Amino acid sequence: MMKPTRSRPTQRAGEGWFSNTVFDRYADAYVQYLASCGYAAATVTGYFGSVAHFAHWFAQQRAGVADFGEALIDRFLDQHLPHCRCASRCRRTRIDVRPALRHFLDMLRRDEACPQKISTIPAAIAAELEAFDGHLADVRGLAASTRGVHMRHLLGFLTDRFGVGPIAVSALTPVDVARFMTRYTAGWAPGSIKAARSSLRSYFRFKAIQGKPMKSLIAVLPQVAQWRLVRLPQCLSATEIKRLLSAFDRSTATGKRDYAITRCLIDLGLRRAEVAHLQLDDVDWQAGTLRIHGKGKRIDILPLPEATGHAITDYLRAGRPQTSRRELFVRHRPPNHAPADLDIVRNAVRYAAKRCGLERRIRGTHILRHTVACRMVQGGAPFKEIADLLRHRNLDTTTIYAKVHLPALARVALPWPGRQT
C-alpha cells in the first residue's frame, strides 16, 4: 500500500478538487510518481490539474476506485470534455488530458489500488493464445514483435470460428479455413496475406504437435505469388550515407545516442530489435567485439568497427543519463528509467533522414542493412561472409544481393536474341 507524504504545493492547479474524493489519498503519491519519471515541474502541474479535473467529475458518478479503468477514462474524454463547463482553466484536449489519466491509472494498478485491465477476449480464446504464445517463445524462440503478429491473426481466426464458445479445432474443415482467409484478407497486399497465412500455418503445426490432424487445414491455406527476386534491393550510395551521418547534432545527448544507434545499423547491418536489445555487457572492449542477441534466441559475436566503437564510447561517456538500466541505449525523455524501444531506434534514423532530405529514400532501418550487404557484394566479398555478418540461417537468403553487382552480371549476361553483332 502506498504511503504518500505531503508534497503538494497548496497553489497547485486543481488542489481543491481532490479534496473529499476517493482519489485524495493518492494525490501526493501521483506528484512523486511523475517527478520520479523525470517530468518537468510545469508538466507535473498540468498533469495534476487534469487528474484533479477527472477526480471532480468522477465524484459525481458515484463510483469507487475499483471502478476506475479505461472505460471511465474514455467516457470522461468523449462525453465530458467536449461539453465541460467546470472551470475556465481546465484543459479540454485529449492530447493533454489522456496521458495524465493513463499515468494515474498505471500508478494505481502498480500499487494494486485498483483492478488490473480486464480482457475482453473470451476465456477459452485467451487460454489458447497464451499456450500458442508460449510455444512460439520457448520452442521457436520468436521475438515479441513477431509473436504479436501471429497473435493478432490467430485472434481474428478463433473469434470468427468459435466466438465465446469452446475451442474445437478438430471440428474445423478445409472449407472453414478457406472461407475465413477469403473474407479476412480481402483487399490485402500480398505481403500481408502471406503474414496471415504464416500465422495460421504456425498455429496448425502447433496443434499437430499435440496430435491433432492438421494436414488438410494446412494444405488449404492459399499460396501467395510474391516473387522474392523481382526487385533490386534498395541501398544507399556513399554520398547518401555521408549525408545521413552528418545529420546528427552530436553536441547533444540525444544526438550522440541516435548517432551511435545509426552507426550500429549502418556499420554492422543489425536489425532494429538487435540494436534495442544491446546490453552494456555485450560490448567487449578488450577483444573489440559486440555480442548480438538475434532471431530465435541466437547469440553471435561480431567484430566492433572502430567508428562504431568511438560512437558508442562518446555516448556512454558524455550522453547516457545516470541510470541503473543495463541496456546500452536508454530513453532521454520522461518517463525515465526505460530502455530505448524499437520506435526510438527507427525514429533515430527517420528523423535524421528528414533533416538531410533523404526521407523519401529512407523510410525505415532495413535499408541500412541492405546497404551493408550491397557494399560487401560490390567490394567482392564472398556470399558466405555476407551471410555470416547478416546472420542469415540460409545462404539462399543472401543471394538476393547478387543482383546489385552489375559489373559481374554484365560478364555472365547472354546476348539478347536477334541482336545485331
Side-chain angles (χ1 to χ4, degrees):
M1 182 63 67
M2 293 179 293
K3 297 180 179 179
T5 60
R6 301 305 299 176
S7 60
R8 281 180 286 176
T10 56
Q11 69 272 21
R12 187 177 297 280
E15 175 74 16
W17 275 351
F18 262 111
S19 302
N20 301 320
T21 71
V22 293
F23 293 128
D24 183 51
R25 60 184 299 189
Y26 307 112
D28 293 321
Y30 182 56
V31 174
Q32 296 173 10
Y33 172 82
L34 293 176
S36 68
C37 289
Y39 286 103
T43 304
V44 174
T45 300
Y47 279 10
F48 185 92
S50 295
V51 174
H53 182 194
F54 175 81
H56 173 68
W57 171 84
F58 188 83
Q60 303 171 22
Q61 310 306 307
R62 301 183 181 276
V65 177
D67 301 314
F68 183 32
E70 285 82 5
L72 274 174
I73 290 178
D74 291 339
R75 185 173 154 195
F76 175 76
L77 297 174
D78 297 336
Q79 300 180 15
H80 177 72
L81 278 190
H83 310 286
C84 174
R85 298 293 183 269
C86 295
S88 59
R89 67 179 182 273
C90 290
R91 299 188 178 188
R92 293 184 174 84
T93 57
R94 296 175 64 94
I95 195 172
D96 290 332
V97 178
R98 188 176 184 85
L101 297 179
R102 289 296 312 176
H103 280 298
F104 190 55
L105 179 60
D106 290 343
M107 183 197 73
L108 294 183
R109 283 178 171 167
R110 181 197 65 180
D111 294 286
E112 300 181 353
C114 70
Q116 298 298 315
K117 183 177 181 179
I118 300 175
S119 175
T120 58
I121 301 175
I125 293 180
E128 191 73 1
L129 291 175
E130 183 179 1
F132 183 50
D133 185 60
H135 167 77
L136 295 178
D138 300 334
V139 178
R140 296 187 55 190
L142 298 185
S145 57
T146 305
R147 302 201 311 270
V149 173
H150 287 329
M151 292 299 106
R152 184 173 71 251
H153 294 311
L154 179 58
L155 174 61
F157 174 71
L158 296 179
T159 303
D160 178 81
R161 301 312 309 158
F162 302 111
V164 297
I167 306 298
V169 179
S170 300
L172 289 172
T173 66
V175 174
D176 294 330
V177 176
R179 286 177 176 172
F180 168 77
M181 288 295 294
T182 301
R183 294 194 310 270
Y184 184 65
T185 63
W188 287 17
S192 299
I193 299 175
K194 286 188 68 174
R197 177 184 184 273
S198 175
S199 299
L200 293 190
R201 184 180 58 186
S202 296
Y203 174 67
F204 292 152
R205 287 177 174 176
F206 164 64
K207 301 306 291 185
I209 295 175
Q210 300 176 348
K212 306 290 185 181
M214 294 286 111
K215 287 185 178 180
S216 61
L217 301 185
I218 294 175
V220 79
L221 289 172
Q223 298 291 334
V224 183
Q226 187 184 29
W227 314 117
R228 185 172 60 92
L229 300 178
V230 168
R231 300 178 181 177
L232 285 173
Q234 294 295 313
C235 60
L236 302 178
S237 66
T239 302
E240 290 173 327
I241 294 173
K242 186 176 180 180
R243 283 173 58 187
L244 178 66
L245 293 177
S246 63
F248 298 94
D249 183 2
R250 294 162 62 188
S251 64
T252 66
T254 302
K256 294 178 186 295
R257 181 198 65 189
D258 292 351
Y259 178 74
I261 286 174
T262 305
R263 292 242 59 135
C264 289
L265 294 166
I266 209 165
D267 294 338
L268 293 169
L270 300 187
R271 301 179 179 93
R272 184 172 51 148
E274 293 169 344
V275 175
H277 295 156
L278 285 175
Q279 305 286 309
L280 292 173
D281 299 331
D282 291 333
V283 185
D284 188 334
W285 297 107
Q286 292 185 345
T289 59
L290 190 64
R291 182 170 53 201
I292 308 300
H293 303 267
K295 287 185 174 181
K297 297 185 178 181
R298 173 177 170 176
I299 296 179
D300 295 279
I301 305 296
L302 297 181
L304 182 63
E306 184 177 356
T308 314
H310 283 315
I312 293 175
T313 301
D314 185 35
Y315 171 63
L316 294 178
R317 289 179 173 175
R320 191 174 187 270
Q322 294 294 327
T323 175
S324 60
R325 302 291 312 194
R326 300 303 297 170
E327 287 82 8
L328 181 60
F329 300 111
V330 297
R331 288 182 61 94
H332 287 197
R333 294 182 179 179
N336 294 340
H337 314 299
D341 56 19
L342 300 183
D343 288 337
I344 288 179
V345 175
R346 178 194 60 195
N347 290 337
V349 176
R350 290 180 65 180
Y351 293 159
K354 187 175 181 178
R355 289 193 296 269
C356 66
L358 291 174
E359 64 270 22
R360 292 189 177 182
R361 291 277 288 137
I362 304 176
R363 300 181 182 274
T365 62
H366 217 67
I367 190 174
L368 304 184
R369 184 171 169 85
H370 287 319
T371 299
V372 172
C374 292
R375 285 189 300 174
M376 294 183 67
V377 169
Q378 293 166 357
F383 280 104
K384 181 62 171 65
E385 291 184 8
I386 301 173
D388 289 342
L389 177 65
L390 299 183
R391 299 167 311 286
H392 287 158
R393 293 183 177 180
N394 193 326
L395 192 60
D396 288 342
T397 307
T398 316
T399 58
I400 187 176
Y401 300 107
K403 298 190 300 181
V404 301
H405 198 341
L406 299 183
L409 292 177
R411 290 195 297 268
V412 299
L414 295 175
W416 184 259
R419 186 184 67 176
Q420 294 182 355
T421 56

